[in-house]
Amino acid sequence: MQLYRLVYYSEAIDGLSLQDVKSIAEKASVKNASLFISGGLLYCEGKFLQVLEGGIHPVNKLFATILQDKRHKNINLIEFARVKRRAFEGWEMSLVFFPTSRDFQPEYIKYSGDLSFDPLSLDGDSCVEFLRNLLERKRTVLSSR
Ligand SMILES: Cc1cc2nc3c(=O)[nH]c(=O)nc-3n(C[C@H](O)[C@H](O)[C@H](O)COP(=O)(O)O)c2cc1C
């Protein structure tokens, strides 16, 4: 199977709660696993940054569904590219939530010259690396509990 990676940015509609976002991510991890899709979802200050990786058809089909989802808006495709390997192997859809972008400044500054959180200023590789960094931090915190 040829592997593809899709990266996009979007904004939550007004009134979407953290519980709503958690529920999206929980359902997503079940469906993504069944589609052999891996990836990560960052939610911060009402902004989403998501990476999806898997076969070309499942990823395209899922993104078509996500585009129709009324719980977010201003959806911007950042990258859709063929890749050699998964960056999120073993993560069906891991959610990372930060109340404010100040919480991830050490990771973000590695990829952006500007501290204000604007995923559209990053290229696809930087988005993937940034999100992976955040997931690694989450894994470290969880495993040290
Ligand atoms: C920001 C955002 C990210 C989402 N990510 C996924 C995802 O990775 N996988 C998924 O199955 N659904 C995801 N969804 C939900 C889908 O839009 C859709 O509701 C879900 O796939 C169920 O679709 P279905 O009822 O047609 O199977 C996401 C929704 C939003 C708003």
Side-chain angles (χ1 to χ4, degrees):
M1 179 187 79
Q2 300 294 350
L3 202 58
Y4 283 77
R5 177 171 91 193
L6 189 149
V7 185
Y8 76 87
Y9 163 80
S10 68
E11 290 162 9
I13 52 154
D14 289 345
L16 199 77
S17 68
L18 180 57
Q19 205 42 55
D20 294 331
V21 177
K22 283 183 179 164
S23 154
I24 290 172
E26 270 164 29
K27 288 184 188 142
S29 68
V30 176
K31 184 165 153 184
N32 292 7
S34 74
L35 297 169
F36 302 104
I37 288 177
S38 47
L41 176 67
L42 168 65
Y43 180 58
C44 174
E45 297 171 349
K47 297 168 182 172
F48 291 110
L49 176 64
Q50 188 171 33
V51 178
L52 300 167
E53 46 191 26
I56 189 164
H57 295 304
V59 170
N60 261 305
K61 198 163 175 247
L62 177 58
F63 188 52
T65 304
I66 291 174
L67 279 172
Q68 301 294 323
D69 199 308
K70 296 277 182 288
R71 292 169 288 188
H72 62 165
K73 59 187 181 177
N74 297 338
I75 305 164
N76 281 269
L77 181 64
I78 295 174
E79 184 195 68
F80 183 59
R82 201 160 126 181
V83 288
K84 290 210 162 46
R85 61 189 68 84
R86 290 177 193 259
F88 297 88
E89 184 81 58
W91 277 303
E92 280 78 30
M93 187 40 57
S94 199
L95 172 69
V96 265
F97 163 70
F98 289 94
T100 141
S101 58
R102 280 194 304 279
D103 297 338
F104 53 64
Q105 267 179 5
E107 282 91 355
Y108 190 65
I109 197 68
K110 288 190 215 162
Y111 305 102
S112 168
D114 191 340
L115 273 182
S116 62
F117 179 48
D118 174 17
L120 292 180
S121 69
L122 302 181
D123 63 21
D125 281 343
S126 299
C127 289
V128 169
E129 286 300 310
F130 166 57
L131 202 46
R132 267 217 54 137
N133 269 266
L134 296 182
L135 282 171
E136 290 294 349
R137 188 189 336 161
K138 180 176 152 182
R139 184 150 73 178
T140 311
V141 171
L142 288 177
S143 64
S144 65
R145 271 188 188 150

